[in-house]
Amino acid sequence: MTDKFDRAPGAERTRPNPVGPGLSEQDPRTPKTSPFQQEPLRQPKTNPSVGQSCAGGDTKGSSQSHPGVHEKYSKLSISTPVAKSHTVDSSLVNSRLSPNAPEFYPSSYIYAGTTYEDEGQLYGQSNVSLADIVQDFLNHLNDSPASFESDIESFTVILNGWVNTEEALYELVELIYQQSTSVANFSYTGARLCNHLSHHVTMVLPSGNFRSILLERCQKEYEKRNEAVHGDESVRKKFHSFVLFLGELYLNLEIKGSGGHIVRADILLDGLQELLKALLSNPVDSNLICAVKLLKLTGSTLEDAWAAKKKSHMDDLIQRIKTSILDATSSRDVRNMLMNLVELRSSGWGRVQCAASYSEATPENDPNYFMNEPTFYTEEGVPFTAADPEYSEKYQEMLDQEDFFAAYFEENGTDAHGGNDGYFEDEEEMDPEMEEAFEKFCLESQKK
Protein backbone atom coordinates (compact mmCIF):
# COMPACT_ATOMS: atom_id res chain seq x y z
CA MET A 1 0.00 0.00 0.00
CA THR A 2 2.89 2.27 0.67
CA ASP A 3 4.88 1.24 -2.37
CA LYS A 4 3.57 4.10 -4.46
CA PHE A 5 3.38 6.61 -1.65
CA ASP A 6 5.28 9.80 -2.56
CA ARG A 7 6.58 11.77 0.37
CA ALA A 8 7.19 14.93 -1.67
CA PRO A 9 5.04 17.88 -0.52
CA GLY A 10 1.86 18.10 -2.51
CA ALA A 11 2.42 14.78 -4.25
CA GLU A 12 -0.53 12.55 -5.23
CA ARG A 13 -2.97 15.38 -4.62
CA THR A 14 -4.12 15.95 -8.18
CA ARG A 15 -7.63 15.03 -9.12
CA PRO A 16 -8.37 13.13 -12.33
CA ASN A 17 -10.33 15.00 -14.90
CA PRO A 18 -13.88 13.75 -15.19
CA VAL A 19 -14.54 11.90 -18.39
CA GLY A 20 -18.12 12.06 -19.47
CA PRO A 21 -20.05 11.44 -22.63
CA GLY A 22 -18.48 13.22 -25.52
CA LEU A 23 -15.35 14.20 -23.56
CA SER A 24 -12.01 12.52 -23.56
CA GLU A 25 -8.52 13.36 -22.37
CA GLN A 26 -7.65 14.58 -25.86
CA ASP A 27 -10.69 16.83 -26.06
CA PRO A 28 -9.63 20.50 -26.34
CA ARG A 29 -12.42 21.51 -23.98
CA THR A 30 -10.85 19.48 -21.21
CA PRO A 31 -8.95 21.64 -18.69
CA LYS A 32 -5.22 21.07 -19.01
CA THR A 33 -4.56 21.39 -15.30
CA SER A 34 -6.58 20.99 -12.20
CA PRO A 35 -7.03 23.76 -9.64
CA PHE A 36 -4.51 22.04 -7.39
CA GLN A 37 -1.75 21.64 -9.94
CA GLN A 38 0.67 24.48 -10.75
CA GLU A 39 1.77 25.29 -14.23
CA PRO A 40 5.47 25.05 -14.90
CA LEU A 41 7.25 28.41 -14.78
CA ARG A 42 7.27 30.18 -18.13
CA GLN A 43 10.35 31.74 -19.65
CA PRO A 44 10.31 35.57 -19.76
CA LYS A 45 8.74 36.96 -22.90
CA THR A 46 11.48 39.54 -23.35
CA ASN A 47 15.20 39.22 -23.01
CA PRO A 48 17.58 41.79 -21.56
CA SER A 49 18.53 44.32 -24.18
CA VAL A 50 21.99 44.23 -25.67
CA GLY A 51 24.51 46.30 -23.78
CA GLN A 52 22.68 46.25 -20.41
CA SER A 53 24.26 44.86 -17.29
CA CYS A 54 22.51 42.44 -14.99
CA ALA A 55 21.98 45.33 -12.56
CA GLY A 56 19.70 46.95 -15.07
CA GLY A 57 21.96 49.83 -16.01
CA ASP A 58 23.11 50.92 -19.40
CA THR A 59 26.81 50.29 -19.86
CA LYS A 60 27.23 53.05 -22.40
CA GLY A 61 25.82 56.50 -22.88
CA SER A 62 24.25 56.83 -19.44
CA SER A 63 24.62 60.19 -17.71
CA GLN A 64 25.58 58.31 -14.55
CA SER A 65 28.10 55.95 -16.18
CA HIS A 66 31.78 56.42 -15.64
CA PRO A 67 34.02 56.27 -18.68
CA GLY A 68 36.17 53.26 -18.93
CA VAL A 69 34.73 51.54 -15.85
CA HIS A 70 32.08 49.32 -17.50
CA GLU A 71 33.42 49.26 -21.05
CA LYS A 72 36.92 48.39 -19.86
CA TYR A 73 35.79 45.01 -18.63
CA SER A 74 32.64 44.34 -20.63
CA LYS A 75 34.37 44.66 -24.01
CA LEU A 76 36.45 41.60 -23.18
CA SER A 77 33.37 39.52 -23.90
CA ILE A 78 32.79 40.65 -27.49
CA SER A 79 34.92 37.85 -28.90
CA THR A 80 33.90 35.20 -26.37
CA PRO A 81 33.37 31.89 -28.27
CA VAL A 82 29.98 30.23 -27.99
CA ALA A 83 29.60 26.48 -28.04
CA LYS A 84 28.05 25.35 -31.33
CA SER A 85 26.48 22.25 -29.79
CA HIS A 86 23.91 24.32 -27.89
CA THR A 87 21.16 26.57 -29.18
CA VAL A 88 21.77 29.98 -27.58
CA ASP A 89 19.52 32.97 -27.75
CA SER A 90 20.85 35.74 -30.04
CA SER A 91 20.71 38.36 -27.27
CA LEU A 92 22.98 36.19 -25.13
CA VAL A 93 25.44 35.75 -27.98
CA ASN A 94 25.71 39.51 -28.39
CA SER A 95 25.88 40.22 -24.64
CA ARG A 96 28.70 42.45 -23.48
CA LEU A 97 29.02 40.64 -20.13
CA SER A 98 31.72 38.04 -19.74
CA PRO A 99 32.57 35.54 -16.99
CA ASN A 100 36.23 35.96 -17.99
CA ALA A 101 36.31 39.63 -16.97
CA PRO A 102 38.69 40.22 -14.03
CA GLU A 103 36.17 42.39 -12.15
CA PHE A 104 32.50 43.29 -12.40
CA TYR A 105 31.07 46.73 -11.62
CA PRO A 106 27.28 47.23 -11.43
CA SER A 107 25.94 50.23 -13.29
CA SER A 108 25.07 51.98 -10.01
CA TYR A 109 28.61 51.61 -8.64
CA ILE A 110 30.43 54.92 -8.19
CA TYR A 111 34.07 54.46 -9.02
CA ALA A 112 35.95 57.56 -7.91
CA GLY A 113 39.37 56.41 -9.04
CA THR A 114 38.78 56.29 -12.78
CA THR A 115 41.66 57.62 -14.83
CA TYR A 116 42.14 58.03 -18.55
CA GLU A 117 45.71 56.89 -18.86
CA ASP A 118 44.80 53.41 -20.14
CA GLU A 119 41.80 54.31 -22.31
CA GLY A 120 43.71 54.87 -25.56
CA GLN A 121 43.04 51.38 -26.91
CA LEU A 122 39.33 51.51 -26.10
CA TYR A 123 38.92 54.93 -27.68
CA GLY A 124 40.70 53.74 -30.79
CA GLN A 125 37.92 51.28 -31.66
CA SER A 126 35.56 52.02 -34.50
CA ASN A 127 32.37 51.80 -32.41
CA VAL A 128 33.38 54.75 -30.18
CA SER A 129 32.67 58.30 -31.31
CA LEU A 130 34.00 61.68 -30.25
CA ALA A 131 30.70 62.45 -28.56
CA ASP A 132 31.05 59.29 -26.44
CA ILE A 133 34.56 60.24 -25.32
CA VAL A 134 33.73 63.84 -24.46
CA GLN A 135 30.41 63.07 -22.76
CA ASP A 136 31.98 60.29 -20.69
CA PHE A 137 34.67 62.66 -19.48
CA LEU A 138 32.16 65.42 -18.72
CA ASN A 139 30.05 63.00 -16.69
CA HIS A 140 33.19 61.87 -14.91
CA LEU A 141 34.07 65.47 -13.98
CA ASN A 142 30.51 66.09 -12.85
CA ASP A 143 30.70 63.11 -10.47
CA SER A 144 34.31 63.74 -9.36
CA PRO A 145 35.30 67.41 -9.83
CA ALA A 146 38.45 66.90 -7.75
CA SER A 147 39.88 64.57 -10.42
CA PHE A 148 40.23 67.47 -12.89
CA GLU A 149 43.93 68.01 -12.28
CA SER A 150 44.86 64.33 -12.39
CA ASP A 151 42.87 63.40 -15.54
CA ILE A 152 42.95 66.49 -17.74
CA GLU A 153 46.37 65.89 -19.28
CA SER A 154 45.70 62.33 -20.42
CA PHE A 155 42.25 63.34 -21.68
CA THR A 156 43.77 66.17 -23.73
CA VAL A 157 46.21 63.74 -25.38
CA ILE A 158 43.32 61.46 -26.39
CA LEU A 159 41.24 64.42 -27.51
CA ASN A 160 43.94 65.77 -29.83
CA GLY A 161 43.97 62.41 -31.59
CA TRP A 162 40.27 62.77 -32.37
CA VAL A 163 39.77 66.47 -33.07
CA ASN A 164 41.32 66.70 -36.53
CA THR A 165 38.47 68.20 -38.60
CA GLU A 166 36.37 71.35 -38.52
CA GLU A 167 33.23 69.39 -37.66
CA ALA A 168 34.96 67.68 -34.73
CA LEU A 169 36.15 70.98 -33.26
CA TYR A 170 32.68 72.53 -33.48
CA GLU A 171 31.16 69.38 -31.96
CA LEU A 172 33.63 69.52 -29.06
CA VAL A 173 32.73 73.15 -28.30
CA GLU A 174 29.00 72.43 -28.47
CA LEU A 175 29.21 69.43 -26.13
CA ILE A 176 31.11 71.39 -23.48
CA TYR A 177 28.82 74.41 -23.84
CA GLN A 178 25.65 72.33 -23.43
CA GLN A 179 27.02 70.53 -20.38
CA SER A 180 28.11 73.80 -18.76
CA THR A 181 24.76 75.53 -19.28
CA SER A 182 22.37 72.64 -18.65
CA VAL A 183 23.90 70.70 -15.75
CA ALA A 184 23.58 72.33 -12.34
CA ASN A 185 26.84 73.43 -10.67
CA PHE A 186 28.97 72.46 -13.68
CA SER A 187 29.60 76.01 -14.94
CA TYR A 188 32.79 76.42 -12.87
CA THR A 189 34.27 73.09 -13.98
CA GLY A 190 33.20 73.79 -17.56
CA ALA A 191 34.95 77.18 -17.50
CA ARG A 192 38.15 75.58 -16.20
CA LEU A 193 37.94 72.95 -18.92
CA CYS A 194 37.44 75.62 -21.60
CA ASN A 195 40.48 77.53 -20.36
CA HIS A 196 42.67 74.43 -20.47
CA LEU A 197 41.52 73.30 -23.90
CA SER A 198 41.92 76.81 -25.33
CA HIS A 199 45.66 76.47 -24.67
CA HIS A 200 46.16 72.76 -25.43
CA VAL A 201 43.87 71.77 -28.32
CA THR A 202 46.22 71.64 -31.29
CA MET A 203 43.56 71.78 -34.02
CA VAL A 204 43.44 75.29 -35.54
CA LEU A 205 41.11 76.25 -38.37
CA PRO A 206 41.49 79.15 -40.80
CA SER A 207 38.48 80.70 -39.09
CA GLY A 208 39.99 80.36 -35.60
CA ASN A 209 40.87 78.01 -32.74
CA PHE A 210 38.97 76.48 -29.83
CA ARG A 211 38.69 79.79 -27.96
CA SER A 212 37.35 81.77 -30.91
CA ILE A 213 34.74 79.10 -31.70
CA LEU A 214 33.67 79.06 -28.05
CA LEU A 215 33.27 82.84 -27.99
CA GLU A 216 31.35 82.64 -31.26
CA ARG A 217 28.97 80.14 -29.65
CA CYS A 218 28.48 82.44 -26.65
CA GLN A 219 27.85 85.36 -29.00
CA LYS A 220 24.79 83.58 -30.41
CA GLU A 221 23.17 83.40 -26.97
CA TYR A 222 24.31 86.92 -26.09
CA GLU A 223 22.44 88.39 -29.04
CA LYS A 224 19.18 86.88 -27.74
CA ARG A 225 19.43 88.67 -24.38
CA ASN A 226 16.62 91.22 -24.92
CA GLU A 227 14.15 88.54 -26.01
CA ALA A 228 15.26 86.07 -23.34
CA VAL A 229 14.72 88.35 -20.32
CA HIS A 230 11.11 88.91 -21.47
CA GLY A 231 10.47 85.27 -22.38
CA ASP A 232 8.62 82.62 -20.44
CA GLU A 233 10.03 80.84 -17.42
CA SER A 234 11.83 78.09 -19.36
CA VAL A 235 13.48 80.59 -21.72
CA ARG A 236 14.63 82.78 -18.82
CA LYS A 237 15.98 79.78 -16.93
CA LYS A 238 18.10 78.73 -19.91
CA PHE A 239 19.32 82.30 -20.36
CA HIS A 240 20.26 82.61 -16.67
CA SER A 241 22.38 79.46 -16.92
CA PHE A 242 24.24 81.02 -19.84
CA VAL A 243 24.79 84.27 -17.88
CA LEU A 244 26.33 82.46 -14.91
CA PHE A 245 28.52 80.34 -17.19
CA LEU A 246 29.77 83.47 -18.91
CA GLY A 247 30.63 84.92 -15.50
CA GLU A 248 32.68 81.81 -14.65
CA LEU A 249 34.29 81.98 -18.08
CA TYR A 250 35.35 85.59 -17.49
CA LEU A 251 37.01 84.61 -14.19
CA ASN A 252 38.79 81.51 -15.56
CA LEU A 253 39.54 82.13 -19.24
CA GLU A 254 43.10 83.39 -19.64
CA ILE A 255 44.51 85.01 -22.77
CA LYS A 256 47.86 86.56 -23.59
CA GLY A 257 47.81 90.33 -23.71
CA SER A 258 50.39 92.82 -24.87
CA GLY A 259 53.86 91.93 -23.66
CA GLY A 260 52.92 88.30 -23.13
CA HIS A 261 51.10 88.94 -19.85
CA ILE A 262 48.09 86.79 -18.94
CA VAL A 263 44.92 88.90 -18.84
CA ARG A 264 41.17 88.38 -18.87
CA ALA A 265 39.12 88.78 -22.02
CA ASP A 266 37.80 92.35 -22.24
CA ILE A 267 35.13 91.25 -24.67
CA LEU A 268 33.54 89.24 -21.86
CA LEU A 269 33.78 92.26 -19.54
CA ASP A 270 31.69 94.36 -21.91
CA GLY A 271 29.32 91.47 -22.48
CA LEU A 272 28.63 91.01 -18.75
CA GLN A 273 27.79 94.69 -18.42
CA GLU A 274 25.18 94.44 -21.18
CA LEU A 275 23.77 91.24 -19.72
CA LEU A 276 23.31 92.89 -16.32
CA LYS A 277 21.55 95.82 -17.97
CA ALA A 278 19.24 93.40 -19.79
CA LEU A 279 18.40 91.54 -16.56
CA LEU A 280 17.59 94.77 -14.72
CA SER A 281 15.51 96.07 -17.62
CA ASN A 282 12.82 93.50 -16.73
CA PRO A 283 12.99 93.35 -12.90
CA VAL A 284 11.02 90.18 -12.30
CA ASP A 285 12.17 87.98 -9.45
CA SER A 286 14.06 85.41 -11.53
CA ASN A 287 15.99 88.08 -13.45
CA LEU A 288 16.90 89.93 -10.26
CA ILE A 289 18.07 86.72 -8.57
CA CYS A 290 20.30 85.95 -11.55
CA ALA A 291 21.76 89.47 -11.42
CA VAL A 292 22.50 89.09 -7.71
CA LYS A 293 24.23 85.75 -8.26
CA LEU A 294 26.33 87.17 -11.08
CA LEU A 295 27.41 90.22 -9.05
CA LYS A 296 28.26 88.13 -6.00
CA LEU A 297 30.38 85.95 -8.27
CA THR A 298 32.14 88.64 -10.28
CA GLY A 299 31.32 91.96 -8.60
CA SER A 300 34.74 92.71 -7.11
CA THR A 301 36.56 91.70 -10.30
CA LEU A 302 34.22 93.72 -12.52
CA GLU A 303 34.52 96.83 -10.37
CA ASP A 304 38.33 96.62 -10.31
CA ALA A 305 38.45 96.24 -14.09
CA TRP A 306 36.08 99.16 -14.65
CA ALA A 307 37.89 101.32 -12.10
CA ALA A 308 41.18 100.69 -13.92
CA LYS A 309 39.54 102.09 -17.05
CA LYS A 310 38.02 104.98 -15.05
CA LYS A 311 34.46 103.90 -15.76
CA SER A 312 31.56 104.07 -13.32
CA HIS A 313 29.52 101.17 -14.64
CA MET A 314 29.21 99.57 -11.19
CA ASP A 315 27.75 102.75 -9.70
CA ASP A 316 25.13 102.79 -12.44
CA LEU A 317 24.21 99.16 -11.82
CA ILE A 318 23.94 99.63 -8.06
CA GLN A 319 21.70 102.65 -8.59
CA ARG A 320 19.37 100.59 -10.76
CA ILE A 321 19.35 97.86 -8.11
CA LYS A 322 18.35 100.40 -5.45
CA THR A 323 15.47 101.43 -7.69
CA SER A 324 14.38 97.80 -7.98
CA ILE A 325 14.33 97.52 -4.18
CA LEU A 326 11.60 100.14 -4.08
CA ASP A 327 9.60 98.28 -6.73
CA ALA A 328 6.47 96.85 -5.13
CA THR A 329 6.26 94.00 -7.65
CA SER A 330 9.34 92.26 -6.24
CA SER A 331 8.91 89.74 -3.46
CA ARG A 332 10.21 90.43 0.03
CA ASP A 333 12.93 87.78 -0.20
CA VAL A 334 14.25 89.22 -3.45
CA ARG A 335 14.29 92.73 -2.00
CA ASN A 336 16.30 91.42 0.96
CA MET A 337 18.77 89.82 -1.46
CA LEU A 338 19.16 93.14 -3.26
CA MET A 339 19.71 95.05 -0.01
CA ASN A 340 22.33 92.52 1.10
CA LEU A 341 24.07 92.97 -2.25
CA VAL A 342 24.15 96.75 -1.84
CA GLU A 343 25.63 96.33 1.65
CA LEU A 344 28.19 93.87 0.32
CA ARG A 345 29.33 96.33 -2.31
CA SER A 346 29.51 99.20 0.22
CA SER A 347 31.87 97.06 2.33
CA GLY A 348 34.22 96.55 -0.62
CA TRP A 349 32.75 93.14 -1.54
CA GLY A 350 33.86 91.77 1.82
CA ARG A 351 37.52 92.53 1.27
CA VAL A 352 39.78 94.10 3.92
CA GLN A 353 41.15 97.21 2.27
CA CYS A 354 44.32 97.68 4.35
CA ALA A 355 45.26 94.64 6.35
CA ALA A 356 47.99 95.21 8.93
CA SER A 357 51.09 93.07 8.90
CA TYR A 358 51.39 90.29 11.45
CA SER A 359 53.84 92.20 13.64
CA GLU A 360 51.70 95.36 13.62
CA ALA A 361 48.29 93.71 13.99
CA THR A 362 46.21 94.81 16.98
CA PRO A 363 42.51 94.45 17.84
CA GLU A 364 42.05 98.07 16.79
CA ASN A 365 43.61 97.99 13.30
CA ASP A 366 42.97 94.38 12.18
CA PRO A 367 39.36 93.13 12.02
CA ASN A 368 40.64 89.55 11.71
CA TYR A 369 42.76 89.74 14.86
CA PHE A 370 40.51 87.32 16.80
CA MET A 371 39.66 85.10 13.81
CA ASN A 372 41.33 81.91 15.07
CA GLU A 373 40.40 82.35 18.73
CA PRO A 374 37.98 79.76 20.23
CA THR A 375 34.41 80.53 21.22
CA PHE A 376 33.15 79.78 24.74
CA TYR A 377 29.67 79.90 26.25
CA THR A 378 28.40 81.20 29.56
CA GLU A 379 26.13 79.23 31.87
CA GLU A 380 23.18 80.93 30.20
CA GLY A 381 24.37 79.76 26.77
CA VAL A 382 25.60 83.18 25.61
CA PRO A 383 28.67 82.87 23.32
CA PHE A 384 31.71 85.02 24.01
CA THR A 385 35.17 85.33 22.48
CA ALA A 386 38.34 87.32 23.09
CA ALA A 387 36.73 90.23 21.24
CA ASP A 388 34.17 90.69 24.05
CA PRO A 389 35.70 93.08 26.59
CA GLU A 390 33.17 92.26 29.34
CA TYR A 391 34.28 88.63 29.32
CA SER A 392 38.04 89.19 29.13
CA GLU A 393 38.73 87.76 32.62
CA LYS A 394 36.35 84.83 32.12
CA TYR A 395 37.89 84.17 28.71
CA GLN A 396 41.41 84.01 30.15
CA GLU A 397 40.18 81.69 32.89
CA MET A 398 38.76 79.29 30.28
CA LEU A 399 42.05 79.32 28.39
CA ASP A 400 43.94 78.46 31.58
CA GLN A 401 41.59 75.56 32.18
CA GLU A 402 42.25 74.28 28.67
CA ASP A 403 46.01 74.43 29.27
CA PHE A 404 45.60 72.60 32.59
CA PHE A 405 43.57 69.75 31.09
CA ALA A 406 45.94 69.51 28.12
CA ALA A 407 48.88 69.06 30.50
CA TYR A 408 46.92 66.51 32.54
CA PHE A 409 46.02 64.40 29.52
CA GLU A 410 49.59 64.52 28.28
CA GLU A 411 50.91 63.24 31.62
CA ASN A 412 48.41 60.38 31.67
CA GLY A 413 49.17 59.22 28.14
CA THR A 414 46.10 60.63 26.39
CA ASP A 415 45.40 63.65 24.23
CA ALA A 416 42.86 66.38 24.88
CA HIS A 417 40.62 65.27 21.98
CA GLY A 418 39.65 61.86 23.29
CA GLY A 419 42.62 59.82 22.07
CA ASN A 420 43.63 56.89 24.25
CA ASP A 421 47.23 55.78 24.64
CA GLY A 422 46.95 53.47 27.63
CA TYR A 423 44.62 55.55 29.78
CA PHE A 424 42.73 52.45 30.89
CA GLU A 425 45.82 50.30 31.31
CA ASP A 426 46.13 51.28 34.99
CA GLU A 427 42.43 50.87 35.66
CA GLU A 428 41.77 47.71 37.64
CA GLU A 429 38.07 48.31 38.28
CA MET A 430 36.91 47.21 34.79
CA ASP A 431 35.89 43.56 34.91
CA PRO A 432 35.70 41.46 31.69
CA GLU A 433 32.00 42.17 31.29
CA MET A 434 32.60 45.93 31.41
CA GLU A 435 35.46 45.66 28.93
CA GLU A 436 33.29 43.68 26.53
CA ALA A 437 30.51 46.27 26.80
CA PHE A 438 32.99 49.07 26.23
CA GLU A 439 34.44 47.39 23.12
CA LYS A 440 30.92 46.83 21.78
CA PHE A 441 30.15 50.52 22.33
CA CYS A 442 33.30 51.55 20.45
CA LEU A 443 32.45 49.31 17.48
CA GLU A 444 28.92 50.70 17.24
CA SER A 445 30.26 54.25 17.41
CA GLN A 446 32.65 53.55 14.53
CA LYS A 447 29.85 52.12 12.41
CA LYS A 448 27.74 55.23 12.97
Side-chain angles (χ1 to χ4, degrees), residues 50-211:
V50 179
Q52 290 187 348
S53 66
C54 63
D58 193 355
T59 60
K60 179 180 176 182
S62 173
S63 61
Q64 300 296 331
S65 65
H66 298 277
V69 176
H70 307 295
E71 290 186 354
K72 184 184 299 182
Y73 302 114
S74 61
K75 288 190 176 183
L76 297 175
S77 63
I78 295 178
S79 59
T80 303
V82 181
K84 297 181 179 180
S85 58
H86 301 281
T87 302
V88 184
D89 187 71
S90 60
S91 64
L92 298 179
V93 175
N94 298 325
S95 174
R96 302 170 69 88
L97 299 175
S98 171
N100 301 322
E103 295 182 59
F104 171 73
Y105 290 96
S107 61
S108 59
Y109 181 76
I110 300 178
Y111 182 66
T114 305
T115 60
Y116 285 79
E117 296 178 356
D118 55 351
E119 298 297 319
Q121 294 182 355
L122 289 178
Y123 289 155
Q125 298 185 10
S126 59
N127 59 344
V128 180
S129 64
L130 175 63
D132 296 331
I133 300 173
V134 176
Q135 193 61 53
D136 280 349
F137 186 70
L138 295 178
N139 293 336
H140 170 66
L141 289 182
N142 187 42
D143 294 336
S144 305
S147 63
F148 182 90
E149 298 292 342
S150 60
D151 293 339
I152 189 61
E153 296 296 337
S154 54
F155 172 72
T156 306
V157 173
I158 297 173
L159 199 61
N160 282 325
W162 278 81
V163 181
N164 49 20
T165 62
E166 181 179 0
E167 293 78 8
L169 187 57
Y170 275 93
E171 182 181 11
L172 172 64
V173 171
E174 185 64 25
L175 288 170
I176 297 176
Y177 175 84
Q178 292 296 335
Q179 180 88 358
S180 302
T181 56
S182 61
V183 178
N185 301 324
F186 193 79
S187 56
Y188 169 70
T189 305
R192 293 183 64 196
L193 181 61
C194 290
N195 178 60
H196 179 85
L197 296 181
S198 66
H199 296 285
H200 295 87
V201 171
T202 57
M203 181 64 186
V204 179
L205 301 174
S207 57
N209 54 8
F210 176 89
R211 184 191 302 113

Side-chain angles (χ1 to χ4, degrees), residues 70 172 189 224 242 261 290 367 384:
H70 307 295
L172 172 64
T189 305
K224 304 175 184 177
F242 160 70
H261 300 290
C290 180
F384 67 93

Side-chain angles (χ1 to χ4, degrees), residues 202-229:
T202 57
M203 181 64 186
V204 179
L205 301 174
S207 57
N209 54 8
F210 176 89
R211 184 191 302 113
S212 61
I213 296 176
L214 174 65
L215 296 178
E216 178 185 340
R217 179 63 181 87
C218 294
Q219 178 71 20
K220 294 180 180 179
E221 296 296 326
Y222 170 78
E223 293 174 352
K224 304 175 184 177
R225 61 190 183 280
N226 294 325
E227 296 80 7
V229 295

Side-chain angles (χ1 to χ4, degrees), residues 182-381:
S182 61
V183 178
N185 301 324
F186 193 79
S187 56
Y188 169 70
T189 305
R192 293 183 64 196
L193 181 61
C194 290
N195 178 60
H196 179 85
L197 296 181
S198 66
H199 296 285
H200 295 87
V201 171
T202 57
M203 181 64 186
V204 179
L205 301 174
S207 57
N209 54 8
F210 176 89
R211 184 191 302 113
S212 61
I213 296 176
L214 174 65
L215 296 178
E216 178 185 340
R217 179 63 181 87
C218 294
Q219 178 71 20
K220 294 180 180 179
E221 296 296 326
Y222 170 78
E223 293 174 352
K224 304 175 184 177
R225 61 190 183 280
N226 294 325
E227 296 80 7
V229 295
H230 293 87
D232 56 19
E233 183 178 355
S234 60
V235 174
R236 291 200 306 268
K237 183 177 180 181
K238 182 180 178 181
F239 175 70
H240 297 159
S241 299
F242 160 70
V243 170
L244 296 178
F245 171 64
L246 202 68
E248 293 284 6
L249 200 62
Y250 174 70
L251 296 178
N252 291 276
L253 188 62
E254 299 174 341
I255 63 175
K256 289 184 179 181
S258 59
H261 300 290
I262 300 297
V263 295
R264 292 189 173 94
D266 286 342
I267 188 174
L268 296 181
L269 176 66
D270 299 334
L272 290 175
Q273 178 195 0
E274 295 299 325
L275 290 175
L276 286 168
K277 287 182 179 180
L279 290 170
L280 297 176
S281 66
N282 184 28
V284 296
D285 285 355
S286 59
N287 287 338
L288 293 176
I289 291 174
C290 180
V292 170
K293 289 181 179 179
L294 180 61
L295 286 174
K296 283 186 176 181
L297 176 66
T298 63
S300 60
T301 306
L302 292 177
E303 185 163 17
D304 292 344
W306 287 330
K309 298 181 178 182
K310 298 181 180 180
K311 295 181 179 180
S312 59
H313 296 323
M314 185 59 69
D315 293 332
D316 299 337
L317 292 172
I318 294 299
Q319 185 60 42
R320 298 183 69 172
I321 289 175
K322 290 180 179 179
T323 304
S324 299
I325 295 176
L326 302 176
D327 189 359
T329 59
S330 302
S331 64
R332 184 181 61 180
D333 294 338
V334 173
R335 289 198 298 270
N336 289 336
M337 291 178 62
L338 296 175
M339 287 188 291
N340 293 335
L341 178 67
V342 173
E343 293 178 0
L344 181 64
R345 193 257 178 168
S346 62
S347 65
W349 304 102
R351 299 177 293 187
V352 178
Q353 299 297 333
C354 12
S357 62
Y358 177 77
S359 59
E360 301 174 353
T362 63
E364 289 75 21
N365 63 12
D366 189 356
N368 298 324
Y369 186 82
F370 299 110
M371 179 181 294
N372 296 324
E373 293 290 334
T375 300
F376 298 105
Y377 294 85
T378 64
E379 296 178 355
E380 293 79 13

